[in-house]
Amino acid sequence: MSAEIIDGKKLAITFREQVAQEVAQFKEQSQIVPHLTAILVGEDPASAVYVRNKQRACEKAGIQSTLKRLPAETTQDKLHKLVQELNADQSVHGILVQLPLPKHIDEVAILDVVNPLKDVDAFHPENVGLIVQGRPRYLPCTPYGIQQMILSTEMETAGKHAVILGRSEIVGKPMAMLLIQRGLGADATVTICHSRTQNLKEIVQSADIIIAAIGKPEFVTADMVKPGAVVIDVGINRVNEKLVGDVAFDSVKEIASAITPVPGGVGPMTIAMLLKNTLTAARIL
Ligand code: GUN
């Protein structure tokens, strides 16, 4: 049996249309135009594409979008001051510092400066803390998008075993928090695997939900997947000019009950959730 393909692109369009409607209503009621400012430091071509896609999506939803582009040699102090200026700018509701930053910049120190109310990525420790306590202000865009994709399958998640591959601050850790959350979360039992995990294959084989976010092309193979598992692929790896995920899609789709493609899976949902968060920011500021 071949898995249901979870069409992130299509689902993202639904969310984006909904946000566009809510933005229009919000503008009419408040005379305020939600405004996202993205900061892009350096010349990383993938980051430039991501930021351009985020900007386009904002514009289509009626959200104002500004890009602050800085050279790779920008100093910590200069970037710090720019974030402070955006914090103080009342016309800016959301601030997004595109990661990764160049190596000479202390990334954590920069993210700490972002006003938590404008932190639409939910990377600030105050927002991370609120998520851990189960009372989020913002949800980080990728885990938020994945949560919506899992909800779209209408699978029962309570008590199920979710295995996350990767312990990143952007995906792995916050994803675990959302999956264990009761009520609006998934009520799942969660394991996070990483580069030092022993018996990784056996752990993944026991998963009802697999979230692959380790950045290794086609790492999750069919022999690691329990029949009927739901497989979410966060990987975006460039192999011979082709984009491939962290999951060997063609073989795993024959075993899973639902699977996300790459591209057209998690990526578009991440952007849709950013739009939702930016509207939330305009509402709460
Ligand atoms: N780099 C990779 N993913 C993300 C993300 O979700 N937000 C930001 N700011 N940078 C990223």
Side-chain angles (χ1 to χ4, degrees), residues 50 54 96-100 121 123 141-142 170 270:
Y50 296 148
K54 289 172 185 178
L96 180 147
V97 183
Q98 184 65 27
L99 305 178
D121 265 323
F123 292 163
C141 303
T142 300
I170 295 183
T270 297

Side-chain angles (χ1 to χ4, degrees), residues 79-148:
L79 186 54
H80 188 120
K81 289 209 170 88
L82 172 60
V83 173
Q84 283 179 322
E85 274 169 31
L86 297 174
N87 284 344
D89 184 340
Q90 292 204 1
S91 80
V92 174
H93 306 106
I95 300 171
L96 180 147
V97 183
Q98 184 65 27
L99 305 178
L101 290 169
K103 287 204 165 40
H104 67 278
I105 303 238
D106 179 346
E107 209 164 85
V108 172
I110 294 297
L111 297 178
D112 281 357
V113 184
V114 174
N115 176 349
L117 295 173
K118 298 189 178 188
D119 173 35
V120 286
D121 265 323
F123 292 163
H124 189 281
E126 182 177 311
N127 288 320
V128 176
L130 289 170
I131 292 163
V132 172
Q133 291 186 339
R135 48 180 188 134
R137 175 187 285 137
Y138 298 111
L139 294 176
C141 303
T142 300
Y144 192 8
I146 293 170
Q147 182 194 48
Q148 295 304 320

Side-chain angles (χ1 to χ4, degrees), residues 199-267:
N199 307 322
L200 183 136
K201 187 172 167 179
E202 286 76 8
I203 294 169
V204 178
Q205 279 170 335
S206 77
D208 304 300
I209 302 166
I210 300 171
I211 316 269
I214 36 168
K216 290 190 180 166
E218 302 189 330
F219 179 85
V220 176
T221 46
D223 58 317
M224 297 165 81
V225 178
K226 179 159 95 178
V230 171
V231 181
I232 308 287
D233 191 349
V234 188
I236 305 179
N237 310 289
R238 208 168 281 274
V239 179
N240 301 330
E241 300 299 307
K242 197 171 163 247
L243 284 187
V244 294
D246 290 351
V247 175
F249 181 83
D250 289 338
S251 53
V252 171
K253 82 172 191 311
E254 299 305 325
I255 299 188
S257 64
I259 186 168
T260 65
V262 175
V266 174

